[in-house]
Amino acid sequence: MRVGIAGCGLIGGSLALALRGSHDVRAFDPAGTGDIAGTARLEDLLGADIVVVATPLSQVVPTLRTLAAHANGVVLMDVGSLKRDVTRQTHRV
């Protein structure tokens, strides 16, 4: 399975490290803190089967919007702890 991860902090980075042994993992980390096969643009993650958004909460909705605008059959999910803003926005996509 091809997995894209947007954000490689504690959660995204841990997920990427755990999955990279058994899956093709690509990551986008604007902070540049990860040791994962990186990509230059967020949209490059859309070649994956699933993209996990693991950004800070303030960036979850903008990141999902950017990805959803170009997504074609890609499963998008987030690991943010607060869902109010995410559910409000995803019902509009």
Side-chain angles (χ1 to χ4, degrees):
M1 177 184 289
R2 294 168 300 174
V3 180
I5 299 181
C8 290
L10 288 175
I11 296 172
S14 296
L15 186 60
L17 290 171
L19 293 175
R20 73 178 179 177
S22 57
H23 299 285
D24 177 13
V25 176
R26 296 281 193 288
F28 173 77
D29 186 24
T33 58
D35 181 28
I36 309 300
T39 181
R41 300 177 323 132
L42 179 62
E43 292 84 358
D44 292 340
L45 298 179
L46 293 172
D49 300 305
I50 184 168
V51 176
V52 179
V53 176
T55 61
L57 289 175
S58 64
Q59 293 302 308
V60 170
V61 170
T63 302
L64 284 171
R65 277 188 187 150
T66 298
L67 291 168
H70 304 286
N72 186 18
V74 176
V75 175
L76 301 175
M77 65 174 285
D78 74 282
V79 294
S81 59
L82 300 175
K83 298 297 182 202
R84 183 186 63 215
D85 291 340
V86 172
T87 55
R88 283 183 187 162
Q89 295 302 317
T90 55
H91 282 91
R92 296 178 189 168
V93 175

